[in-house]
Amino acid sequence: MSARPIKRIYFDHGATTPMLPEVIEAMEPYFAERCGNASSIHSYGREAKRAVDDARARVAKLINADPKEIVFTSGGTESDNLAIKGTAQYKGRTEGHVITSGMEHHAVLEPCARLKTAGFDVTELPITRDGFVEPVAVEAAVREDTVLISVMMANSEVGTIQPVREIASIARARGIPFHTDAVQAVGKIPIDVRKDNIDMLSISSHKIYGPKGVGALYVKAGTSIEPILHGGGHERGLRSSTENVPGIVGLGKAAEIAGKDINECNERMRGMRDQMIESVLKTVPDAYLNGHPTKRLAGNAHFRFDFIEGEGLVLRLDLLGIATSTGSACSTGSLDPSHVLLAMGLKHEQAHGSLRITLGRENTHEEVRYFLDVLPGVVSKLREISPFGNDRPMKGGMGERCVQ
Ligand SMILES: *Cc1c(COP(=O)(O)O)cnc(C)c1O
């Protein structure tokens, strides 16, 4: 029998991360004691403005931008919406061509769908079997009337790191604004918006050990973009609303910490991740790795187990104290499997049997060992009780089995 865990184990850092104690400590004074509105001219206001400017400099430094190019927002979703709608619909434009990919986060796909309804043409680039957008596909999709290209830097599900520099160069050479949703990449891979030719880049604080509900959009100086929120003209007119000072301070601190030890953190996580992949593929029959074996985020492991459903697996693991996620969206009330896995060419039933592990800085080898100890038993138990376990190979969709 395996030892029981001493505490709960969090393996879902792709969904959100725990705030670091240093981040909480940095934010604390800005809730009450330093309560100023950054637009006020008295000492409280100046103190808040200094804190916001300081955070702006830290976020800018993490991606090699100028502080003036950082716009604070309410999170990754708003940053994506601002970049996409704010660029495509610049000066009331109502038509044009937008290029994105089939593996984007919904925060990119949905605003693009809106643009389509509004009269724009949208091309969704195909994804390779191991989870990449190919620069040649971007090249082929570009048209005379292309007004925006948006391709994410690292995928949220399978963790594949996209050839963003090559794609951005294609855009730059044609004078097309290039946006990248870097929410999963920031703090995990080194980013240099200048060298990478990026015009807009989305950041979310809660994916890098900062507070929820705050984010940033890098907008290269000179980019033609309009606000989507109108009001008092904060953030140089691009994002009205009183700055979330404690949140911004937290994001600034998280950005500072994230930039300090990327390599060291990655090395640790890669070690644990590779041990996990090797062991799972060896000890669990009919298990596969989704995505590319090496060109992926250090903490991301994404498996596929034949003959079972990801939800069942996530719930069983949760009973054992291990928090993970699945490529299937059943838990959110939808019967559709992950659009990312389907875009990679997986069949519905394959996509349904997926498990995502996203490691973070606080995870330990001991936690990984515990997971590896219990997983084979959990999978075989689920297969025993699965109606699909007995008459392999399984055929057809499993969608109707995903009722909550
Ligand atoms: C989490 C996430 C978002 C959304 O960020 P929020 O701050 O939660 O709005 C957008 N894109 C990607 C790739 C994400 O992982």
Side-chain angles (χ1 to χ4, degrees):
M1 270 312 283
S2 316
R4 306 228 92 228
I6 304 139
K7 57 180 175 66
R8 291 189 301 167
I9 297 173
Y10 190 73
F11 281 166
D12 199 14
H13 294 78
T16 193
T17 54
M19 280 170 66
L20 293 171
E22 298 94 312
V23 171
I24 299 173
E25 197 187 329
M27 290 171 71
E28 213 279 327
Y30 294 92
F31 287 108
E33 186 193 328
R34 304 182 195 161
C35 69
N37 180 323
S39 301
S40 301
I41 57 170
H42 47 61
S43 69
Y44 287 87
R46 295 197 305 272
E47 189 172 69
K49 174 140 191 340
R50 263 199 307 278
V52 168
D53 286 345
D54 186 43
R56 201 185 302 282
R58 291 173 194 213
V59 172
K61 186 166 173 226
L62 183 62
I63 57 169
N64 195 29
D66 190 278
K68 287 200 284 296
E69 298 172 316
I70 301 298
V71 178
F72 288 117
T73 66
S74 65
T77 302
E78 189 191 327
S79 297
D80 286 341
N81 273 265
L82 174 57
I84 292 164
K85 295 181 195 161
T87 311
Q89 297 178 315
Y90 183 67
K91 293 214 162 134
R93 184 160 49 202
T94 55
E95 54 188 13
H97 177 229
V98 174
I99 299 174
T100 185
S101 86
M103 61 154 36
E104 298 299 310
H105 192 273
H106 287 291
V108 167
L109 292 178
E110 291 304 316
C112 286
R114 283 287 157 155
L115 289 178
K116 208 165 171 175
T117 316
F120 287 80
D121 269 352
V122 178
T123 299
E124 257 181 39
L125 300 166
I127 307 303
T128 64
R129 181 76 193 193
D130 50 4
F132 295 101
V133 176
E134 292 180 304
V136 286
V138 179
E139 190 106 50
V142 168
R143 303 192 330 206
E144 272 301 304
D145 62 341
T146 305
V147 294
L148 174 71
I149 300 176
S150 177
V151 175
M152 73 198 323
M153 192 168 276
N155 183 257
S156 24
E157 291 186 34
V158 295
T160 42
I161 298 164
Q162 303 301 319
V164 157
R165 187 182 286 192
E166 286 96 314
I167 296 171
S169 309
I170 295 169
R172 181 63 58 87
R174 287 160 184 76
I176 303 165
F178 177 75
H179 165 251
T180 187
D181 176 338
V183 169
Q184 292 286 343
V186 171
K188 296 178 197 149
I189 54 177
I191 299 174
D192 185 324
V193 289
R194 303 244 171 274
K195 277 204 193 117
D196 292 348
N197 285 333
I198 293 165
D199 298 308
M200 288 166 285
L201 179 144
S202 300
I203 297 173
S204 172
S205 156
H206 76 95
K207 304 280 173 80
I208 60 165
Y209 305 88
K212 294 171 180 64
V214 60
L217 180 68
Y218 152 75
V219 181
K220 186 182 189 303
T223 304
S224 300
I225 182 170
E226 274 187 351
I228 53 173
L229 277 184
H230 306 273
H234 306 75
E235 297 295 289
R236 289 178 299 119
L238 266 182
R239 205 279 182 171
S240 289
S241 184
T242 303
E243 292 86 352
N244 170 3
V245 179
I248 289 169
V249 167
L251 167 55
K253 191 71 193 172
E256 182 191 58
I257 296 169
K260 267 191 190 139
D261 53 2
I262 289 186
N263 293 336
E264 200 182 307
C265 262
N266 277 348
E267 209 167 302
R268 257 195 84 239
M269 278 195 276
R270 200 173 289 120
M272 292 192 281
R273 195 267 322 267
D274 288 346
Q275 181 196 359
M276 201 177 253
I277 292 174
E278 197 191 318
S279 170
V280 168
L281 298 184
K282 197 153 58 186
T283 59
V284 183
D286 301 307
Y288 308 89
L289 181 71
N290 289 327
H292 193 276
T294 55
K295 285 185 200 161
R296 65 196 301 145
L297 296 171
N300 177 297
H302 201 290
F303 300 105
R304 188 168 89 237
F305 303 100
D306 282 349
F307 321 117
I308 55 171
E309 287 168 32
E311 301 72 45
L313 191 48
V314 167
L315 292 174
R316 289 261 163 167
L317 288 170
D318 188 45
L319 287 175
L320 295 166
I322 306 171
T324 59
S325 76
T326 172
S328 154
C330 291
S331 54
T332 55
S334 152
L335 298 185
D336 299 330
S338 148
H339 66 283
V340 173
L341 299 178
L342 295 182
M344 284 164 61
L346 264 65
K347 294 198 179 72
H348 274 244
E349 63 268 27
Q350 293 176 317
H352 269 299
S354 289
L355 181 74
R356 181 186 74 169
I357 311 283
T358 38
L359 303 173
R361 14 175 103 223
E362 81 285 4
N363 288 135
T364 63
H365 281 279
E366 191 193 352
E367 291 175 332
V368 171
R369 273 195 298 277
Y370 174 71
F371 167 77
L372 292 174
D373 258 2
V374 301
L375 183 74
V378 171
V379 171
S380 75
K381 192 90 172 207
L382 279 170
R383 282 176 177 163
E384 266 169 41
I385 60 168
S386 158
F388 304 103
N390 303 321
D391 52 315
R392 306 171 183 188
M394 179 185 63
K395 291 258 172 11
M398 293 179 68
E400 68 279 9
R401 308 216 60 81
C402 285
V403 284
Q404 287 95 27

